[in-house]
């Protein structure tokens, strides 16, 4: 008769492990509680994954899906618009991540240095607020502000300052390729910096005050304290935030969708907006093709997660998954 | 590590098992590979579910006249103006009463009204989910792509034998929709209508111009420049107004050029049949290049509102009739007929001088097309359940389309909406815009047909429901008529100055590649117009991007002729 292996309990006592069936029975309460979760995960997370197979099918709103092998992938890799979207996705996401992280760190440090608690709290609240506005509202506001017509506030200022001649047409910030990305980053900074400071402020509040006291004794200036105490203390959090967000770079959609237009597809079109147009802007879309593009996006996203996990292990000593 | 590997393998096997489970044919949403209408087009069970009645009732044995439709599921876009907050429940109830009286049995009408601007997308999702209605409205370009799929029922015979043929005033509208074998997959209840150019009379007066003097493109362009440079809104600042605004330099559906016809002139930037009957890509033509250069110049000169690039139709028209005319434009090409009244109403509501003039087509348009383009009409289509029996589809035709053209009660509902909600024949009086300078009183005697104030806006008179009485193929026989003077004038003006737009193509490759072609066209247009790029270089890029695809489409179309 096969002997059950020994296990050590939390109290350090070595006991023989009971058979699986008995263990399940003994813990039946937990398993019963787990059933709804399991069912939900299967239905909500795994069942939709059945749709992956349509990447290999010619699948339109009408008619039976036809198996066509890897034709969609062949078409996808030979389409310029796809590669433009892929390149833009990486560029926009990574740049946005770097810029918003840097601004969040800078703002956090400044907030941390503020002595007046009321002013600090008020400023924090003010910079958090844009995060709670929907992207559609943000896009409407900035479209009005940046309008090239005579009603656009920014172009009005530029004309008043003499940077644009009065009889010259205004700059169409959201429809000119050279302006679109800087504006996109600026809007992201405005909207997300405040929210991004939360985690850094939490870290800053946890820095041992003795380090600052020691620095004071050594005669460090405020800037030196920031450079030699605050920033090093934040580094681990900065790396963590970067790594965690790097895994999500392929998921960019809403912020681009509400701000882009056909004049700037070359610098703004991302994989998700490309999929959207291919799926929903034509009468008889081929969902098979868009599934293939979506699958490719997911695979790249998955690879990024694994890479980030490895980097995390090396940098922080533990993975993120 | 071992545990992780095991859990990874377990997850992978779970996914593989699920994928395997779902791979059966039972999941297939619709059944048609043949591109012929006689084959089974759609999952009949899905269709039955959507209809809410049992297809089994009519399977095989029932003759068309015996089939009794209990529920009629329809999908409509925003052209059904009796929306949920604008009297749709009353319309639905009165339709059910009138149809029950007409057919001798009750029919439950279920209306699914989808967002107008996202209609194509929403319909695609509906079908992909296996949710098929009995009948639905399709815009022309969408219809052309669905017609060969086998999803739509060939109503040619039903149409030919319909009772309303006796009263048919515009037979050519549907005859033109039939294919070479006489099959009719969609029923147009009216002709398509099109856009005309409206100009603000006050702006013309302010810059010292008369509409009747705008005869050529040069005259038109001069007017636009004056609107930009000569302070037509009288706010003391020049250059803060524009000549014309449009929702895009090129429309997003056929006939593509109708929002800026004076610039496009003889160009048709899409695939169409030329005079010889050969399918060609009008986008690559010299006429399109010249049109792009005209648009480029206008963009540079401020003759065209730069926001036309990104404006939707809603944004364009709201900017045009906004209360603050700074930043607005003087000219706007928009739909003829009822919209003449609607635009005027909105100008009044916003306290802007509401006198509008319809600009006659300029000489260049007359010399090329002959007039403004009358778009291909939207149609009602009936979904074929693919059971090989036409009984259910014929019943849908009889219940929906035959009654819709009855000339009396049901047609009135589709034309004007619900009685005593949207219109009435009872004696009454009411006032719109009370207490303002636009206050207007209405008084009607008993028995006098008249439109009432809109259910959701008591200051605006209701105009029509789905069918425009001026465009309908079979007129009402009950004498009900209360079209506003402006709408009638607009319809008359359009019909006197329009020609039919070229027909949209139907090709498998075109269907698959529409999105890429449209993207390439927009890239070319914006490159030239807003970025001031070289037109030949932009056209070369267009050809290198989608040229081979276009060639394939043209080959398909021309070999099919």
């Amino acid at each position: 008769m096969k002997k059950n292996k020994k296990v050590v309990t939390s109290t350090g006592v070595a006991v023989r492990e009971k058979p699986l069936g008995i263990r399940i029975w003994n813990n039946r309460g937990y398993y019963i509680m787990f059933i709804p979760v399991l069912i939900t995960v299967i239905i909500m997370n795994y069942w939709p994954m059945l749709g992956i197979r349509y990447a290999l099918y010619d699948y339109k709103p009408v008619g039976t899906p036809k198996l066509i092998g890897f034709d969609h992938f062949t078409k996808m890799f030979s389409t310029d618009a796809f590669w433009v979207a892929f390149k833009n996705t990486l560029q926009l996401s990574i740049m946005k991540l770097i810029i918003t992280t840097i601004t969040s760190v800078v703002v956090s440090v400044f907030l941390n240095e503020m002595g007046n608690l009321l002013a600090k709290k008020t400023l924090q609240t003010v910079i958090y607020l844009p995060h709670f506005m929907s992207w559609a509202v943000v896009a409407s506001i900035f479209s009005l502000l940046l309008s090239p017509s005579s009603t656009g506030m920014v172009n009005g200022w530029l004309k008043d300052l003499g940077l644009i001649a009065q009889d010259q047409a205004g700059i169409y910030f959201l429809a000119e390729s050279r302006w679109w990305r800087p504006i996109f980053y600026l809007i992201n900074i405005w909207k997300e910096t405040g929210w991004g400071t939360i985690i850094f402020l939490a870290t800053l509040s946890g820095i041992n005050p003795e380090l600052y006291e020691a620095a004071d004794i050594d005669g460090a200036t405020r800037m030196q304290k920031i450079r030699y105490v605050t920033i090093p203390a934040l580094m681990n959090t900065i790396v963590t935030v970067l790594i965690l967000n790097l895994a999500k770079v392929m998921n960019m959609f809403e912020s681009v969708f509400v701000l882009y237009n056909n004049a700037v597809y070359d610098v703004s079109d991302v994989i998700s907006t490309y999929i959207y147009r291919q799926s929903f802007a034509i009468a008889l879309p081929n969902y098979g093709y868009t599934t293939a593009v979506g699958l490719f996006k997911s695979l790249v996203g998955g690879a990024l997660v694994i890479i980030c996990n490895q980097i995390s292990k090396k940098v922080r000593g533990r993975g993120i998954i | 590590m071992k545990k992780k590997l095991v859990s990874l393998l377990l997850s992978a096997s779970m996914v593989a098992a699920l994928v395997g489970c779902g791979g059966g044919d039972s999941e297939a949403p619709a059944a048609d590979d043949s591109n012929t209408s006689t084959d089974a087009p759609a999952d009949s069970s899905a269709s039955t579910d959507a209809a809410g009645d049992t297809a089994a009732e009519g399977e095989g044995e029932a003759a068309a006249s015996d089939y009794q439709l209990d529920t009629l599921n329809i999908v409509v876009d925003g052209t059904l103006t009796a929306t949920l907050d604008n009297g749709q429940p009353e319309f639905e109830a009165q339709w059910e009463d009138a149809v029950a009286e007409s057919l001798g049995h009750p029919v439950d009408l279920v209306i699914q009204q989808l967002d107008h601007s996202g209609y194509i997308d929403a319909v695609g999702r509906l079908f992909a989910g296996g949710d098929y209605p009995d009948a639905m409205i399709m815009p022309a370009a969408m219809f052309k792509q669905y017609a060969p799929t086998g999803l739509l029922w060939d109503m040619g015979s039903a149409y030919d034998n319909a009772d309303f043929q006796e009263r048919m005033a515009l037979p050519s509208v549907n005859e033109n929709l039939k294919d070479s074998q006489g099959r009719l997959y969609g029923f147009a209840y009216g002709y398509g209508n099109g856009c005309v150019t409206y100009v603000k009379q006050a702006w013309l007066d302010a810059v010292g111009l008369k509409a009747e003097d705008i005869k050529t493109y040069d005259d038109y362009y001069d007017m636009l420049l004056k609107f930009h440079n000569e302070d037509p809104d009288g706010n003391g600042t020049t250059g803060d107004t524009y000549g014309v605004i449009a929702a895009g330099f090129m429309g997003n559906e056929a006939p593509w050029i109708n929002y800026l016809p004076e610039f496009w002139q003889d160009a048709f930037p899409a695939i169409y049949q030329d005079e010889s009957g050969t399918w060609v890509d009008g986008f690559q033509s010299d006429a399109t290049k010249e049109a792009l250069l005209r648009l480029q110049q206008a963009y540079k000169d401020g003759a065209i509102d730069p926001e036309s690039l990104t404006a939707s139709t809603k944004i364009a028209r709201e900017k045009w009739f906004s209360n603050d005319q700074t930043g607005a434009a003087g000219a706007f090409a928009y739909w003829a007929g009822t919209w003449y009244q609607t635009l005027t109403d909105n100008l009044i509501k916003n306290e802007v001088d509401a006198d509008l003039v319809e600009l006659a087509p300029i000489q260049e348009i007359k010399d090329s097309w002959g007039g403004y383009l009358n778009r291909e009409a939207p149609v009602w289509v009936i979904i074929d359940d693919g059971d090989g029996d036409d009984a259910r589809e014929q019943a849908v035709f009889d219940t929906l389309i035959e009654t819709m053209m009855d000339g009396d009660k049901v047609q009135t509902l589709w034309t004007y909406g619900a009685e005593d909600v949207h219109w009435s024949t009872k004696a009454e009086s009411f006032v719109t815009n009370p207490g303002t300078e636009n206050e207007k009183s209405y008084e009607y005697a008993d028995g006098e047909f008249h439109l009432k104030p809109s259910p959701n806006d008591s200051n605006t008179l209701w105009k029509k429901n789905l069918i425009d009485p001026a465009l309908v193929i079979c007129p009402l026989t009950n004498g009900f008529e209360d079209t506003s003077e402006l709408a009638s004038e607009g319809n008359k003006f359009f019909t006197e100055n329009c020609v039919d737009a070229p027909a949209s193509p139907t090709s498998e490759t075109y269907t698959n590649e529409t999105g890429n072609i449209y993207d390439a066209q927009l890239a070319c247009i914006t490159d030239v117009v807003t970025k001031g790029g070289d037109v030949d270089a932009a056209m070369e890029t267009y050809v290198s991007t989608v040229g081979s695809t276009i060639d394939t489409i043209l080959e398909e179309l021309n070999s099919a002729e």
Side-chain angles (χ1 to χ4, degrees):
Chain A
M1 190 180 155
K2 192 184 161 191
K3 281 187 176 178
N4 292 330
K5 73 173 182 184
K6 279 189 170 181
V7 289
V8 180
T9 66
S10 56
T11 53
V13 181
V15 293
R16 211 164 280 286
E17 191 180 42
K18 291 176 182 170
L20 180 66
I22 293 174
R23 276 184 282 142
I24 290 176
W25 178 251
N26 288 344
N27 294 298
R28 59 190 177 281
Y30 297 119
Y31 283 102
I32 289 167
M33 281 194 288
F34 178 63
I35 285 172
V37 178
L38 181 68
I39 291 170
T40 306
V41 168
I42 289 173
I43 292 173
M44 305 304 288
N45 296 59
Y46 284 89
W47 189 255
M49 284 171 69
L50 296 175
I52 289 172
R53 72 182 188 279
Y54 287 122
L56 306 176
Y57 283 77
D58 198 19
Y59 175 25
K60 292 179 183 158
V62 292
T64 309
K66 275 187 292 190
L67 185 67
I68 56 164
F70 290 92
D71 285 6
H72 289 316
F73 293 93
T74 310
K75 180 186 168 186
M76 178 174 83
F77 292 131
S78 60
T79 303
D80 290 345
F82 165 75
W83 287 114
V84 168
F86 182 63
K87 189 187 75 182
N88 286 339
T89 308
L90 293 177
Q91 282 189 1
L92 289 172
S93 297
I94 293 170
M95 279 303 289
K96 180 185 140 186
L97 176 60
I98 293 169
I99 291 170
T100 51
T101 306
I102 290 171
T103 52
S104 295
V105 170
V106 171
V107 171
S108 304
V109 171
F110 285 152
L111 282 171
N112 193 51
E113 292 295 315
M114 284 178 79
N116 186 327
L117 196 64
L118 179 67
K120 184 181 172 180
K121 293 286 176 196
T122 308
L123 192 59
Q124 266 182 281
T125 309
V126 168
I127 61 171
Y128 288 169
L129 282 177
H131 172 79
F132 297 102
M133 294 171 80
S134 82
W135 270 109
V137 174
V138 171
S140 302
I141 293 170
F142 279 91
S143 297
L144 287 172
L145 293 176
L146 300 169
S147 168
S149 72
S150 50
T151 51
M153 191 191 282
V154 173
N155 274 301
W157 286 341
L158 293 175
K159 284 185 179 177
D160 291 343
L161 293 170
L163 296 171
I164 300 177
Q166 287 293 340
D167 58 346
Q168 200 183 324
I171 299 169
Y172 206 159
F173 291 101
L174 290 173
E176 288 185 24
S177 299
R178 69 198 164 108
W179 284 108
W180 193 87
R181 280 189 183 166
I183 295 296
F184 176 77
Y185 297 138
L186 273 176
I187 295 172
N188 272 281
I189 288 170
W190 176 79
K191 190 172 186 302
E192 300 300 344
T193 295
W195 191 249
T197 60
I198 291 175
I199 195 163
F200 297 119
L201 283 170
T203 308
L204 288 171
S205 65
I207 297 174
N208 189 346
E210 288 174 5
L211 292 173
Y212 289 107
E213 287 163 15
D216 283 336
I217 293 166
D218 288 346
T221 62
R222 181 173 271 202
M223 286 309 292
Q224 283 172 323
K225 279 190 278 184
I226 291 173
R227 186 177 169 191
Y228 295 108
V229 179
T230 311
I231 301 291
L234 274 178
M235 276 317 285
N236 206 20
T237 309
I238 293 171
V239 172
T240 305
V241 166
L242 278 173
I243 289 171
L244 288 175
N245 286 324
L246 196 62
K248 299 188 286 188
V249 295
M250 298 302 287
N251 295 339
M252 177 174 269
F253 175 69
E254 200 183 358
S255 56
V256 173
F257 183 70
V258 294
L259 289 168
Y260 87 149
N261 57 72
N262 58 66
V264 287
Y265 281 168
D266 56 335
V267 293
S268 65
D269 195 19
V270 292
I271 295 271
S272 300
T273 52
Y274 175 72
I275 291 173
Y276 179 88
R277 284 204 314 284
Q278 292 289 328
S279 300
F280 302 130
I282 50 182
L284 262 176
N286 196 328
Y287 296 128
Y289 177 67
T290 48
T291 305
V293 180
L295 181 59
F296 178 78
K297 189 188 96 167
S298 302
L299 290 174
V300 174
L304 280 171
V305 170
I306 292 168
I307 291 167
C308 290
N309 192 43
Q310 293 303 319
I311 297 171
S312 175
K313 276 182 183 169
K314 279 202 172 8
V315 176
R316 305 156 67 216
R318 62 179 189 278
I320 54 173
I321 50 172
Chain B
M1 186 65 197
K2 197 178 163 188
K3 275 184 182 172
K4 280 191 177 175
L5 196 68
V6 171
S7 59
L8 196 70
L9 284 171
L10 278 171
S11 303
S13 61
M14 192 173 173
V15 175
L18 283 169
V19 170
C21 286
D25 285 337
S26 58
E27 277 241 327
D32 174 52
D33 300 323
S34 64
N35 283 353
T36 60
S37 65
T38 48
D39 288 331
D43 185 328
S44 57
S45 63
S47 181
T48 305
D49 289 343
D53 62 332
T54 51
E57 282 175 38
E59 267 177 18
E61 72 272 11
S65 55
D66 297 335
Y67 191 96
Q68 190 168 309
L69 195 72
D70 300 323
T71 306
L72 178 66
N73 282 277
I74 60 170
V75 168
V76 297
D77 58 13
T79 52
L80 184 81
T81 52
T83 52
L84 274 177
D85 65 339
N86 218 357
Q88 192 177 97
E90 292 88 345
F91 161 77
E92 209 174 294
Q94 291 186 21
W95 182 93
E96 285 170 1
D97 291 344
V99 168
E101 192 182 310
S102 169
L103 300 180
H105 64 85
V107 180
D108 179 21
L109 177 65
V110 180
I111 301 173
Q112 193 175 354
Q113 186 157 30
L114 305 177
D115 173 42
H116 190 75
S117 56
Y119 189 66
I120 287 175
D121 145 28
V123 168
R125 276 182 284 144
L126 211 63
F127 287 174
D131 191 5
Y132 296 92
D134 294 311
M136 62 179 295
I137 291 175
M138 278 195 181
M142 182 184 182
F143 164 64
K144 284 292 173 77
Q145 298 196 38
Y146 274 92
T149 62
L151 178 74
L152 312 182
W153 182 58
D154 170 18
M155 59 177 86
S157 170
Y159 169 78
D160 289 339
N161 298 314
D163 291 344
F164 58 75
Q165 288 290 356
E166 293 169 12
R167 298 183 299 103
M168 182 64 72
L170 295 167
S172 63
V173 173
N174 283 293
E175 290 303 324
N176 290 342
L177 285 175
K178 288 182 177 173
D179 67 11
S180 54
Q181 288 161 291
R183 292 178 296 206
L184 181 69
Y185 295 111
F187 168 76
Y189 47 87
Y191 69 84
N193 202 11
C195 293
V196 299
T197 301
Y198 298 100
V199 185
K200 291 167 184 162
Q201 182 63 53
W203 285 35
L204 282 171
D205 295 341
V207 299
L209 288 175
K210 285 182 180 162
E212 55 270 27
D213 293 335
I214 314 296
K215 289 178 178 165
T216 65
Y217 177 71
D218 288 341
D219 299 334
Y220 172 79
Y221 197 66
D222 178 55
M223 174 185 78
L224 300 188
L225 288 179
K226 283 190 158 114
F227 284 167
H228 181 54
N229 298 321
E230 296 187 10
D231 189 25
D233 62 339
N235 69 351
T237 309
T238 56
D240 66 346
T241 48
Y242 297 97
V244 63
I245 187 169
F249 298 120
M250 182 178 83
N252 59 5
E253 60 177 10
W256 314 106
I257 62 171
N258 52 345
Y259 290 141
L260 286 169
E262 289 82 7
F263 288 97
W264 287 102
Q265 295 178 8
D266 55 339
F268 194 77
I271 293 171
Y272 73 106
Q273 269 180 309
D274 65 12
E275 299 84 4
S276 66
T278 309
W279 287 94
V280 294
D281 179 17
F283 196 85
Q284 295 179 46
S285 69
D286 289 340
T288 295
K289 288 183 188 175
E290 285 161 21
L292 293 181
L293 290 174
R294 281 189 288 272
L295 286 164
Q296 183 188 57
Q297 188 63 42
Y299 188 84
K300 198 173 143 195
D301 291 346
I304 189 166
D305 186 333
E307 282 188 308
S308 298
L309 173 69
T310 51
S312 62
T313 49
K314 185 171 184 283
I315 288 174
R317 63 176 186 253
E318 286 182 355
K319 197 171 176 190
W320 191 70
F321 54 57
S322 75
N323 173 258
D324 181 6
Q325 286 285 288
T326 305
F332 182 45
Y334 211 59
W335 299 99
T338 312
W339 271 103
Y340 190 8
Q341 181 67 58
T342 307
L343 291 174
T344 305
D345 286 349
N346 279 290
L347 286 165
I348 290 171
K349 197 190 284 181
N350 290 325
E351 297 172 348
V352 180
D353 196 317
D355 249 1
L356 292 181
V357 56
E358 293 169 296
L359 209 62
I362 57 172
Q363 198 58 45
E364 287 83 352
I365 295 176
K366 282 183 188 164
D367 290 345
S368 50
W369 298 106
Y372 290 120
L373 292 185
N374 175 38
R375 68 168 175 173
E376 294 171 278
V379 295
W380 277 103
V381 299
I382 294 173
I383 307 299
D384 191 336
D385 63 14
D387 64 358
D389 180 359
D390 288 344
R392 195 192 67 84
E393 290 81 0
Q394 180 67 50
V396 173
F397 183 91
D398 294 342
T399 309
L400 178 71
I401 293 172
E402 188 77 87
T403 60
M404 188 186 289
M405 293 286 119
D406 70 353
D408 195 13
K409 273 188 183 172
V410 185
Q411 188 167 338
T412 304
L413 285 165
W414 287 108
T415 307
Y416 292 115
E419 186 174 5
D420 293 330
V421 177
H422 301 111
W423 59 272
S424 182
T425 53
K426 291 178 183 147
E428 66 175 327
S429 59
F430 52 83
V431 179
T432 55
N433 297 301
T436 69
E437 61 180 35
N438 296 312
E439 180 176 312
K440 197 170 174 185
S441 301
Y442 299 85
E443 194 162 350
Y444 300 98
D446 197 31
E448 190 181 358
F449 176 81
H450 62 274
L451 295 171
K452 292 170 71 72
S454 294
N456 66 356
D457 181 4
S458 59
N459 287 322
T460 306
L461 222 54
W462 179 256
K463 293 177 186 71
K464 69 172 184 68
N465 193 9
L466 175 75
I467 299 174
D468 191 324
L471 311 179
V472 69
I473 55 168
C474 300
L476 283 164
T477 55
N478 55 14
F480 287 177
E481 194 182 344
D482 186 11
T483 307
S484 78
E485 212 172 285
L486 281 182
S488 303
E489 192 186 319
N491 282 319
K492 185 170 176 284
F493 179 83
F494 182 72
T495 46
E496 285 170 359
N497 290 286
C498 79
V499 292
D500 285 341
S504 301
T506 304
S507 126
E508 194 184 344
T509 308
Y510 180 71
T511 300
N512 290 338
E513 299 295 333
T514 313
N516 290 330
I517 294 169
Y518 188 59
D519 279 357
Q521 288 172 338
L522 290 180
C524 179
I525 291 170
T526 51
D527 196 24
V528 176
V529 179
T530 63
K531 298 175 187 172
D534 178 66
V535 70
D536 289 317
M539 202 57 82
E540 271 173 36
T541 307
Y542 167 77
V543 172
S544 69
T545 310
V546 291
S548 59
T549 309
I550 299 277
D551 290 344
T552 308
I553 294 167
L554 295 178
E555 206 176 303
E556 281 175 16
L557 290 165
N558 287 317
S559 61
E561 284 300 307

